[in-house]
Amino acid sequence: MLYAILCYHDEDFVGSWSKEQDAAVMKKLAVVQEKLAKQGRLGPVARLLPTTAAATLRKDDPPLVIDGPYAETKEQLLGFYIIDCKTLDEALDVARDLGAANPGGAYEIRPVGTFAPGGAVT
Amino acid sequence: MTDTAWIDAALTSARPQAVGALLRYFRDLDTAEEAFQNACLRALKSWPQNGPPRDPAAWLIMVGRNAAIDEVRRNRKQTPLPEDAAISDLDDAEERLADRLDGSHYRDDILRLLFICCHPDLPATQQIALALRIVSGLTVKQIARAFLVSEAAMEQRITRAKARVADADVPFETPGAVERGERLAAVAAMIYLIFNEGYSASGDAVQARRPLCEEAIRLARLLLRLFPGEPEIMGLTALCLLQHARAAARFNAAGEVVLLDEQDRTLWNQKMIAEGLALIDKAMRHRRSGAYQIQAAIAALHARAEKPEDTDWAQIDLLYGALELAQPSPVVTLNRAVAVSKVRGAAAALEMIEPLAGRLSNYFHYFGVRGAFLMQLGRHDEARIAFDRAIALANTSAEAAHIRMHLDRLMRDSAPRDATAGK
């Protein structure tokens, strides 16, 4: 079963990391990713730009474009992983590994219903 | 990341909101800062043991406020205490306080905190130093290093700036729409000052001042998060990102300036460029043009060009034309002339800058650009005079070295053809 691991974190906090701190976290996360990739369980991974770069289309009538992210929350959606796991426990283990590399925030683990890998974008 | 590094980042990110709220309570910058410092000390003790609070800013505000009130209580036993009810039961205080910290409230807190740093009586360098100290929380030592002055001198500069701000009587009530707009513009200008202080550095100062660019970007993003629909704040953030994206390519190993045309574009930071382009894209949809957006759009055209010859100079010429209307200045015209030289040739460009001679008679770049146009037109003797003048006006050794390189090229190019020069 495919799971999405949605990464929530306070982006002010993440933005306060020094370049070295940021690089250190990314390096640790890469180790976890590499392990998953070797096992053939790693799907697309994305780190999103800050929510200040986001725009939201509210599907009112007529649809309304709003600057900024969809939800005003303490923690923001900053990225996601798609991984292949047999059970929720397995997915939670992956999230724990990622969490050990990246302090603070929270992961939402969501089973994927339909998955279209695309392929045109690399 | 170690525990302390992690807590440092949490304290830094919570700082503008926490100090801003404490300033609203105490209406005194020193008291607010001291309260925040106290709260940080307690956080360093408590967080490693108990784990970080869910809302660090709310935690720091509450703890800082209580510490300051205790202090008042100790020092002035006889005087009546403020807001006694607010400090008596603290069990759920964090929760309730967090509830009250809705977006609009802390938005004005942070804006006020930034705004007091840009008091018009303060010279630019003091505004920047104050903002870096109070809002960003850089240490006096760090700021002193960025400005290449001694720690004692910087301490004095900040103390003086604070004293002036304390006398200034910044209003604490929630600002109206017009006033908020004015504050926003002043703060945007101050953030751009911080950025430029870092960006315009050269030679040995480049490394020391780079953090100023990064801090300006952080503050610009913070401001944009508070005012997500303001196209000029999008423009400001985009402008800083697009310029800073070139940081790794702007100087060679010897610390000399590398001009845009000669930069190794593979060294440009593509992630910053992507963010800058996304922001300028968003800003343009508002159709409310402004100086930051125009400058960001110009930077975007440079960023989009994979090779120098791909640069859309005609569009850049138009944008500088718009900038001349929005923010008339001889320096803008000078920059436009560079674009004009690429589109319509050096003769048209030279004609454009002739009228600026009086106002820019002491401006290094005027003579550098003038010399370059004259050189392109084959008027080598005049070019040499302009370059000599530029060297005399150079602010840094890197600037002088760059012009000298032009002079050398001029000598090389003109020497064998001296007989035919001037025809």
Side-chain angles (χ1 to χ4, degrees):
Chain A
M1 158 102 72
L2 290 180
Y3 285 86
I5 297 185
L6 308 176
C7 315
Y8 286 88
H9 214 318
D10 176 346
E11 72 177 336
D12 271 339
F13 174 67
V14 173
S16 297
W17 290 349
S18 67
K19 229 183 298 170
E20 293 73 26
Q21 284 174 325
D22 195 290
V25 170
M26 294 313 278
K27 204 172 147 192
K28 283 195 212 162
L29 288 174
V31 174
V32 182
Q33 287 176 41
E34 204 175 319
K35 199 173 95 187
L36 291 166
K38 273 194 188 136
Q39 297 164 348
R41 297 163 65 202
L42 186 69
V45 177
R47 180 175 180 180
L48 305 175
L49 286 175
T51 57
T52 41
T56 302
L57 183 75
R58 289 211 173 252
K59 292 191 279 179
D60 299 340
D61 190 20
L64 197 62
V65 181
I66 297 164
D67 292 297
Y70 166 62
E72 283 286 336
T73 47
K74 276 200 200 76
E75 278 131 354
Q76 292 80 26
L77 178 64
L78 301 187
F80 61 83
Y81 298 85
I82 301 286
I83 52 162
D84 191 5
C85 293
K86 285 199 186 66
T87 61
L88 173 62
D89 272 342
E90 258 188 51
L92 283 169
D93 281 342
V94 172
R96 278 190 201 98
D97 284 351
L98 293 168
N102 183 358
Y107 291 116
E108 178 178 325
I109 291 114
R110 281 271 280 280
V112 174
T114 319
F115 180 65
V121 178
T122 52
Chain B
M1 212 183 294
T2 64
D3 256 6
T4 29
W6 190 85
I7 290 173
D8 274 352
L11 295 177
T12 306
S13 70
R15 185 180 175 100
Q17 188 184 345
V19 178
L22 290 165
L23 179 66
R24 173 159 46 84
Y25 291 134
F26 296 113
R27 308 204 163 194
D28 176 71
L29 198 50
D30 279 331
T31 314
E33 270 203 297
E34 215 168 289
F36 180 74
Q37 287 309 331
N38 273 323
C40 288
L41 289 177
R42 289 182 199 203
L44 285 171
K45 272 190 221 147
S46 152
W47 293 2
Q49 286 170 22
N50 308 327
R54 174 140 168 78
D55 186 341
W59 191 98
L60 291 163
I61 293 166
M62 184 192 69
V63 170
R65 198 177 58 159
N66 291 340
I69 290 170
D70 284 348
E71 187 88 9
V72 173
R73 190 179 271 159
R74 263 199 303 280
N75 294 344
R76 311 206 315 239
K77 279 211 164 109
Q78 298 87 341
T79 42
L81 290 165
E83 296 180 67
D84 211 39
I87 50 169
S88 47
D89 60 327
L90 296 174
D91 286 351
D92 282 335
E94 187 190 335
E95 202 84 4
R96 281 186 286 114
L97 191 59
D99 286 343
R100 273 186 282 138
L101 288 169
D102 63 284
S104 64
H105 214 127
Y106 88 83
R107 186 175 82 160
D108 285 321
D109 283 347
I110 296 176
L111 185 60
R112 181 185 304 110
L113 189 65
L114 285 159
F115 179 67
I116 59 168
C117 301
C118 18
H119 191 275
D121 285 354
L122 293 181
T125 49
Q126 284 191 19
Q127 292 187 14
I128 296 170
L130 200 58
L132 291 174
R133 179 69 206 100
I134 295 176
V135 188
S136 305
L138 300 193
T139 62
V140 174
K141 192 175 172 184
Q142 285 171 315
I143 304 169
R145 199 185 304 144
F147 280 91
L148 307 172
V149 299
S150 74
E151 218 174 312
M154 184 49 74
E155 182 82 62
Q156 203 179 25
R157 190 184 291 181
I158 291 172
T159 308
R160 232 182 270 141
K162 270 191 196 166
R164 201 171 285 184
V165 163
D167 293 339
D169 257 353
V170 176
F172 280 91
E173 52 277 10
T174 305
V178 174
E179 205 186 346
R180 190 179 284 137
E182 284 167 3
R183 288 187 181 188
L184 196 53
V187 167
M190 190 261 298
I191 291 176
Y192 195 47
L193 274 178
I194 297 179
F195 182 81
N196 266 321
E197 200 62 38
Y199 187 76
S200 61
S202 61
D204 294 340
V206 172
Q207 288 306 322
R209 293 201 179 185
R210 185 161 295 174
L212 298 183
C213 292
E214 281 149 18
E215 194 50 39
I217 290 170
R218 205 171 74 84
L219 291 175
R221 283 200 194 115
L222 171 72
L223 200 60
L224 184 54
R225 207 149 37 242
L226 300 177
F227 299 92
E230 287 294 333
E232 271 295 80
I233 307 302
M234 297 175 204
L236 169 71
T237 314
L239 177 59
C240 294
L241 283 162
L242 291 168
Q243 305 219 74
H244 193 51
R246 301 196 289 259
R250 290 181 57 226
F251 298 93
N252 63 19
E256 290 157 353
V257 190
V258 181
L259 281 194
L260 203 51
D261 277 3
E262 286 145 23
Q263 285 174 15
D264 176 355
R265 298 187 175 216
T266 60
L267 295 177
W268 290 1
N269 183 321
Q270 290 304 323
K271 198 169 157 192
M272 279 190 209
I273 290 176
E275 188 180 345
L277 293 179
L279 285 170
I280 194 66
D281 216 14
K282 258 172 61 162
M284 292 298 189
R285 299 189 68 259
H286 287 263
R287 301 192 186 287
R288 271 163 49 206
S289 175
Y292 294 119
Q293 291 172 75
I294 298 170
Q295 292 173 85
I298 293 168
L301 288 171
H302 287 300
R304 281 204 169 104
E306 274 177 41
K307 299 190 294 293
E309 52 271 32
D310 297 340
T311 311
D312 186 349
W313 288 106
Q315 191 64 30
I316 290 175
D317 175 23
L318 289 176
L319 285 166
Y320 270 121
L323 189 59
E324 277 182 312
L325 292 177
Q327 204 177 62
S329 120
V331 174
V332 172
T333 307
L334 184 66
N335 281 320
R336 185 181 184 186
V338 175
V340 165
S341 77
K342 308 270 186 183
V343 184
R344 284 183 273 148
L350 190 63
E351 195 180 319
M352 194 170 193
I353 66 164
E354 295 287 6
L356 309 177
R359 277 176 298 167
L360 296 180
S361 61
N362 288 310
Y363 190 58
F364 162 78
H365 289 290
Y366 174 75
F367 292 97
V369 167
R370 189 183 151 81
F373 292 163
L374 287 165
M375 189 164 74
Q376 284 169 41
L377 292 169
R379 289 157 66 176
H380 291 178
D381 290 339
E382 289 166 89
R384 202 168 295 132
I385 294 168
F387 284 142
D388 283 342
R389 180 91 183 108
I391 287 178
L393 290 169
N395 304 299
T396 63
S397 51
E399 281 180 356
H402 182 77
I403 296 295
R404 229 166 262 127
M405 196 181 74
H406 274 315
L407 272 174
D408 290 347
R409 198 177 293 169
L410 202 56
M411 299 280 269
R412 265 201 320 273
D413 290 356
S414 57
R417 283 182 283 129
D418 247 2
T420 56
K423 276 196 182 166

